[in-house]
Amino acid sequence: MSVQERKERERAARERLIVATARELAEQQGWDAVTTRRLAERIEYSQPVLYSHFRGKREIIGAVALEGAAEMAAAVRAASSAADGPRARVTALARAYLDFATHNPAVYDAMFQLDGGLTFADEATPEPLKDAFAALLETLGEVAGDGIHPGLFTEVFWASLHGLATLTRAGRLPAGDAERRAELLVDRLAVI
């Protein structure tokens, strides 16, 4: 292995460590607790080393969001592919999405609530975000209904899931009815 390859591998490992540490700190104490100073202390590197990877917290949030999008896409695909039939696939997708939002609140915030400097719904949208949408579209496109554009239907369904996740987490909706809400969403929106 060349010196250059070793340096690139070490740099990539440091970057993964920064992102993992930011996620851990955000999940434990919230995003306000994630500062370059605290991250530098936790990973035992200087702040200039952090800045050699990320220009600041915004880019770190963006990196967490991209990682989260890939994880969410994998979770949605795994749940959907394990289900039999369109209704079961859509129900599994809804549950997987809501479970991801519930179990990864800081990551979910990085993806959809915080400014990570990422572009959505554009040609410049990073691939992990496009793939997360594609993971939803793969299942939801088949239940959009006649005359309904599958992408548009997926956007509306996704917006509904996001609303349920956000309102439930904020305590605006009673947590005990989460399962029923997901079923109602599937029953009323999807043409199955």
Side-chain angles (χ1 to χ4, degrees), residues 70-86:
E71 291 169 9
M72 187 184 76
V76 164
R77 282 189 175 109
S80 299
S81 67
D84 188 30

Side-chain angles (χ1 to χ4, degrees), residues 3-179:
V3 172
Q4 181 64 29
E5 289 172 330
R6 182 183 54 78
K7 285 183 178 185
E8 288 174 12
R9 212 174 64 216
E10 288 171 356
R11 180 172 176 75
R14 268 193 317 271
E15 195 164 299
R16 285 190 304 274
L17 178 62
I18 293 166
V19 172
T21 304
R23 281 181 72 157
E24 180 183 313
L25 188 56
E27 291 293 357
Q28 291 171 352
Q29 300 176 32
W31 279 103
D32 287 341
V34 179
T35 65
T36 54
R37 171 185 237 127
R38 287 180 107 177
L39 285 173
E41 289 171 4
R42 284 218 176 177
I43 66 171
E44 298 178 346
Y45 282 101
S46 67
Q47 283 182 294
V49 170
L50 258 82
Y51 286 117
S52 74
H53 290 273
F54 300 99
R55 285 182 286 193
K57 183 176 175 176
R58 181 179 187 221
E59 284 190 5
I60 293 169
I61 290 169
V64 169
L66 293 176
E67 195 173 87
E71 291 169 9
M72 187 184 76
V76 164
R77 282 189 175 109
S80 299
S81 67
D84 188 30
R87 185 181 199 302
R89 281 192 291 278
V90 174
T91 300
L93 175 145
R95 287 185 181 135
Y97 183 98
L98 295 171
D99 285 348
F100 181 87
T102 299
H103 297 301
N104 303 282
V107 174
Y108 193 81
D109 284 349
M111 292 167 64
F112 301 119
Q113 304 290 91
L114 302 174
D115 179 9
L118 302 174
T119 303
F120 285 80
D122 188 82
E123 288 181 24
T125 300
E127 282 306 313
L129 298 179
K130 288 179 181 178
D131 188 54
F133 184 79
L136 298 173
L137 180 62
E138 289 162 11
T139 296
L140 295 171
E142 69 180 282
V143 297
D146 293 337
I148 307 293
H149 188 279
L152 183 62
F153 177 77
T154 300
E155 290 170 353
V156 171
F157 200 94
W158 170 33
S160 298
L161 287 173
H162 176 70
L164 289 175
T166 303
L167 292 171
T168 301
R169 191 166 132 217
R172 304 296 197 278
L173 299 174
D177 291 331
E179 187 72 24

